[in-house]
Amino acid sequence: MILDLSIDALLTTTRTIRKRLDLERPVERGVIEECLDLALQAPNGSNHQQWRWIVLDDRAIIERAAAIYRAAMDQYSADIAAGREQYLTGGSRAEQIGESVAHLKANLHRVPALLVPTLADRFGVHRKGTSTTYHDASQWGSILPAVWNFMLALRSRGVGSAWTTIHLLREREMAELLGIPYETHVQAGLFPIAYTIGTQFRRAARQPVSEVLSYNGW
Ligand SMILES: Cc1cc2nc3c(=O)[nH]c(=O)nc-3n(C[C@H](O)[C@H](O)[C@H](O)COP(=O)(O)O)c2cc1C
C-alpha cells in the first residue's frame, strides 16, 4: 500500500525509526524488492553500480548481526565513558538520542529484516588507508544516494528504517558472518526494516537554511 503523502511530506517525515518499528509484522520480500528497484535509480559514479544489497530475513542470521551491532555499541559507549568519543556527549539532546539508541540496540535482533548495502572498493585505496577526499566522495556518493532512496521508498509504503553505522567498528565480523569479501568491498551501514507503528511522523528540528547557506563563497 502506498501512503497518501506529498513529495514534501515524504522528504520531511522520513525519520530514523527506533521505537516505532513494528517487531511483530513481517515485511514481505516483494515490498523490499520494490523499494530496492526504486533505490537503484539513484546516481552513482560512472554508473558503475558496483553495489550488492544483502537483506537478512533469517532469524538466526539477524540475531548474529544484531549481536555484532550490540558489541560495537558497547565498544562505542566504553569509548564515550573513557572520553575517547565526543559524538553523543554534550547536553540534553544527547540524552534523548541515547534512550532511543538504547532501545534499538536492545531490540535489533527482533526486527523482521536488516539490510547491509555493500560497494566494491572502486579505487582499491580504502583498505590501504590512502584514500583522498576525491576517492571518499566518489565512493560513498556511489551508494549513499541509493540507500536514502531506499529509505524514502520504504516510508512511502509505511515501512521504516534507521540509518546506522556503528557496527562498522566491527565491519570485519559482519563481513565474515555474511561472506562479504572484506578486502575488496565496504559496507555502508546496517538498516533495520519494519512496518512503522502508525504512519504519522514529524518534521525534524534542523538549523534554519539562513544559518547554513551562503552565496558565492564560504
Ligand atoms: C551516518 C549516520 C550514522 C548513524 N548511525 C547510527 C547508529 O549507529 N545508531 C543509531 O541508532 N542511529 C544512527 N544514526 C541515526 C541518527 O542518530 C539520526 O539520523 C539523527 O539523530 C537525526 O534523526 P532523524 O534521522 O530522525 O532526523 C545515524 C545516522 C547517520 C546519517
Side-chain angles (χ1 to χ4, degrees):
M1 188 197 67
I2 307 283
L3 301 182
D4 185 18
L5 286 174
S6 69
I7 293 171
D8 286 6
L10 180 75
L11 290 171
T12 49
T13 63
T14 303
R15 297 265 72 77
T16 294
I17 313 297
R18 302 188 184 97
K19 293 182 171 176
R20 288 173 61 189
L21 297 171
D22 188 337
L23 302 173
E24 310 301 330
R25 182 176 169 192
V27 180
E28 305 81 353
R29 282 189 175 183
V31 170
I32 295 173
E33 287 167 25
E34 234 171 68
C35 293
L36 197 51
D37 179 58
L38 295 166
L40 300 189
Q41 290 293 309
N44 67 98
S46 305
N47 202 22
H48 275 303
Q49 305 172 69
Q50 290 177 321
W51 46 41
R52 288 284 294 271
W53 304 78
I54 307 176
V55 172
L56 318 184
D57 61 3
D58 176 274
R59 187 54 48 203
I61 297 179
I62 290 173
E63 284 175 2
R64 291 177 68 189
I68 295 171
Y69 183 89
R70 285 196 303 274
M73 193 60 89
D74 287 343
Q75 182 179 334
Y76 187 57
S77 300
D79 284 349
I80 291 172
R84 289 188 296 266
E85 173 61 69
Q86 304 297 318
Y87 182 61
L88 278 184
T89 56
S92 57
R93 179 164 155 66
E95 278 161 33
Q96 264 177 21
I97 291 172
E99 191 210 334
S100 168
V101 168
H103 180 86
L104 183 65
K105 178 193 171 196
N107 289 284
L108 195 68
H109 63 289
R110 299 174 59 203
V111 298
L114 285 170
L115 169 72
V116 180
T118 73
L119 189 70
D121 180 5
R122 266 185 72 192
F123 304 99
V125 292
H126 183 81
R127 298 288 178 217
K128 291 187 190 139
T130 55
S131 62
T132 63
T133 302
Y134 164 70
H135 292 125
D136 287 346
S138 306
Q139 177 82 0
W140 297 116
S142 294
I143 183 100
L144 301 185
V147 175
W148 183 238
N149 262 15
F150 181 73
M151 286 179 66
L152 292 169
L154 289 178
R155 164 78 176 124
S156 75
R157 284 154 174 78
V159 181
S161 186
W163 197 297
T164 85
T165 56
I166 205 81
H167 92 274
L168 297 173
L169 294 174
R170 291 170 173 251
E171 184 187 7
R172 192 188 285 272
E173 284 175 40
M174 190 69 80
E176 282 165 8
L177 174 65
L178 304 179
I180 300 165
Y182 178 82
E183 292 307 325
T184 52
H185 289 71
V186 295
Q187 299 163 46
L190 182 67
F191 299 82
I193 300 170
Y195 280 98
T196 56
I197 299 170
T199 56
Q200 296 288 319
F201 293 92
R202 275 188 243 133
R203 228 182 129 93
R206 297 284 198 259
Q207 291 161 283
V209 170
S210 57
E211 280 182 21
V212 294
L213 171 72
S214 59
Y215 290 99
N216 305 316
W218 176 263

